[in-house]
């Protein structure tokens, strides 16, 4: 059985802030917004409640959280434990072509509102179940306030945030169907939360792998992408060498990866076969985009499962694995990608 970690609001007003151009100084006015509630108010007798009941959010209304999940700023509030946490990494300052992925966490949450998983509407015929059927406690942990000016600091912030969430105690399930997933793989023999990260350019995986290594040791990676992302670091400084195209090579140099990782959906331009040869030294095998036409979805799934085996694995999905005709805003588009339906079928086959 594959064990996978993935990279897939009550609002509180506390003040008004003015951010200066450099983003380094902030003045905040604090307001006391605590109000006394009249104990004589009978909500059940008021016009709205007596006629219509609860103030339920619609798919297109309410505070923004992933699929209408409960929302907490988990990095500063540990009051709500969770089995699976969702965290946003709004970061895009190591891209080589088109930036904008910092808006990814917001866009993913906005697009997820139609699902209403937090309201129990998650059953699909394809899966024959709903995410809530598996008994895990789900929580949207908000976004990490990542520096947009200092990449070294930003990468450290992401590692610190991910490590913080990994160290939290799990909720332990919402029903008897819940099963522990991570205890068997963790170095300390404890159950740890699983984290779904919303990016963000693909460099976010490096600090995530660093955080996972502290808990699980080296892990394998299932990498859905049009690009290898294993090119050797280049540049005149250490930080310049860490980009969305080199982070896996850096991770391998740091001993964060096993030698049993795999790409899926590769179709990028390369310098030559030497890129594939170097990719092999980083620990990856390649499934190209065209392989799905030659061998079919089932064979693609079988190859991925065979490569990973029963080892702990991190799954990373770059939106550019999908054809740019369906995902045109991606930062590094490559024609001829998989369809969303094909990617969903493969993911289901890995479950």
């Amino acid at each position: 059985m594959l064990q996978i970690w993935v990279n897939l609001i009550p609002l509180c007003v506390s003040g008004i802030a003015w951010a200066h151009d450099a983003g380094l100084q902030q003045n905040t006015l604090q307001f006391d917004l605590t109000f006394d509630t009249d104990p004589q108010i009978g909500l059940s007798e008021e016009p709205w409640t007596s006629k219509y009941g609860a103030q339920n959010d619609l798919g297109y209304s309410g505070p923004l959280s992933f699929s209408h999940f409960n929302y907490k700023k988990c990095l500063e509030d540990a009051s709500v434990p969770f089995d699976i946490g969702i965290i946003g990494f709004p970061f895009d300052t190591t891209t080589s072509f088109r930036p904008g992925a910092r808006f990814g966490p917001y866009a993913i949450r906005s697009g997820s509102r139609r699902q209403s998983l937090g309201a129990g509407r998650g059953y699909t015929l394809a899966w024959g179940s709903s995410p809530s059927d598996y008994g895990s406690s789900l929580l949207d942990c908000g976004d990490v306030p990542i520096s947009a000016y200092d990449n070294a600091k930003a990468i450290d912030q992401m590692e610190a945030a991910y490590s913080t969430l990994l160290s939290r105690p799990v909720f332990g399930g919402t029903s008897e169907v819940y099963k522990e997933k991570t205890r068997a793989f963790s170095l300390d023999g404890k159950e740890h939360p699983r984290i779904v990260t919303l990016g963000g350019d693909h460099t976010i995986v490096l600090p995530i792998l660093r955080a996972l290594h502290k808990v699980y040791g080296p892990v394998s990676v299932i990498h859905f992408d049009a690009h290898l992302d294993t090119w050797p670091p280049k540049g005149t400084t250490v930080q310049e060498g860490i980009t969305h195209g080199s982070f896996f090579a850096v991770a391998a140099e740091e001993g964060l990866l096993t030698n049993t990782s795999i790409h899926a959906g590769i179709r990028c331009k390369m310098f030559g076969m030497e890129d594939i040869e170097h990719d092999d030294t980083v620990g990856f095998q390649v499934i190209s985009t065209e392989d799905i036409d030659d061998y079919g979805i089932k064979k693609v799934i079988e190859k991925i499962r065979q490569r990973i085996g029963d080892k702990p694995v991190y799954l990373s999905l770059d939106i550019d694995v999908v054809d740019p005709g369906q995902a045109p805003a991606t930062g590094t588009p490559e024609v001829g990608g998989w369809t969303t339906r094909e990617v969903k079928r493969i993911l289901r086959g890995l479950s």
Side-chain angles (χ1 to χ4, degrees):
M1 178 179 181
L2 295 182
Q3 176 56 49
I4 298 176
W5 296 275
V6 221
N7 115 251
L8 208 66
I9 304 173
L11 294 179
C12 178
V13 181
S14 61
I16 302 174
W18 295 270
H20 292 267
D21 291 342
L24 301 178
Q25 182 175 352
Q26 179 171 290
N27 297 318
T28 304
L29 292 177
Q30 299 291 337
F31 299 96
D32 184 0
L33 296 182
T34 302
F35 302 97
D36 293 328
T37 302
D38 189 342
Q40 302 303 316
I41 294 177
L43 291 177
S44 62
E45 299 174 1
E46 290 185 324
W48 171 266
T49 308
S50 63
K51 294 177 71 174
Y52 301 109
Q55 185 182 347
N56 295 318
D57 291 331
L58 304 174
Y60 49 83
S61 69
L64 184 62
S65 67
F66 185 83
S67 293
H68 296 273
F69 287 172
N70 290 332
Y71 178 98
K72 283 285 184 182
K73 291 186 176 180
C74 300
L75 298 178
E76 65 180 25
D77 186 346
S79 63
V80 180
F82 52 88
D83 299 314
I84 300 175
I86 297 172
I87 189 74
F89 280 5
F91 173 81
D92 63 5
T93 52
T94 59
T95 56
S96 58
F97 189 60
R98 184 165 57 190
R102 68 181 63 185
F103 300 103
Y106 171 85
I108 294 170
R109 288 188 177 95
S110 183
S112 74
R113 298 174 76 143
R114 180 69 177 86
Q115 297 182 107
S116 299
L117 298 181
R121 189 181 182 214
Y123 182 90
T124 66
L125 289 175
W127 286 86
S129 62
S130 169
S132 59
D133 293 340
Y134 299 95
S136 294
S137 174
L138 307 169
L139 183 66
D140 190 328
C141 289
D143 291 339
V144 180
I146 297 169
S147 173
Y149 310 103
D150 185 331
N151 284 349
K153 178 180 179 181
I155 290 174
D156 184 68
Q157 287 175 315
M158 289 185 275
E159 181 182 350
Y162 205 94
S163 293
T164 296
L165 299 185
L166 277 180
S167 68
R168 294 283 172 81
V170 296
F171 184 82
T174 60
S175 70
E176 65 280 357
V177 300
Y178 170 79
K179 296 180 180 179
E180 291 187 341
K181 300 291 185 180
T182 62
R183 184 187 299 273
F185 300 101
S186 63
L187 300 178
D188 60 8
K190 297 179 180 179
E191 182 75 0
H192 291 266
R194 286 167 289 164
I195 312 299
V196 178
T197 311
L198 313 178
D201 80 47
H202 222 154
T203 305
I204 69 171
V205 173
L206 178 59
I208 290 172
L209 291 174
R210 287 172 174 171
L212 287 171
H213 187 266
K214 301 171 190 174
V215 177
Y216 301 102
V219 300
S220 299
V221 174
I222 301 173
H223 178 224
F224 288 85
D225 203 320
H227 310 91
L228 298 172
D229 295 350
T230 57
W231 283 280
K234 296 180 179 180
T236 58
T237 67
V238 172
Q239 203 57 47
E240 189 180 10
I242 300 176
T243 73
H244 69 154
S246 67
F247 64 89
F248 276 135
V250 176
E253 291 175 359
E254 295 180 5
L256 309 180
L257 302 175
T258 66
N259 199 38
T260 55
S261 296
I262 191 165
H263 304 292
I266 298 298
R267 62 186 186 279
C268 61
K269 306 299 185 294
M270 304 181 194
F271 294 104
M273 279 304 297
E274 60 266 27
D275 287 349
I276 297 296
E277 293 167 358
H278 179 265
D279 186 75
D280 182 68
T281 67
V282 177
F284 281 85
Q285 288 184 354
V286 175
I287 296 175
S288 73
T289 302
E290 289 77 13
D291 285 339
I292 204 170
D293 302 315
D294 296 334
Y295 305 107
I297 289 176
K298 288 186 177 180
K299 288 296 183 181
V300 169
I301 294 169
E302 289 175 5
K303 178 61 177 178
I304 295 173
R305 296 185 68 94
Q306 180 186 32
R307 175 67 171 170
I308 300 301
D310 59 359
K311 296 176 288 295
V313 59
Y314 178 80
L315 190 153
S316 182
L317 194 153
D318 191 321
I319 192 60
D320 67 28
V321 73
V322 174
D323 189 83
Q326 297 184 4
T330 184
T332 46
E334 302 282 356
V335 299
W338 286 342
T339 67
T340 53
R341 178 175 54 82
E342 289 167 337
V343 172
K344 288 173 66 178
R345 284 288 301 275
I346 296 171
L347 289 173
R348 191 166 78 245
L350 297 177
S351 66

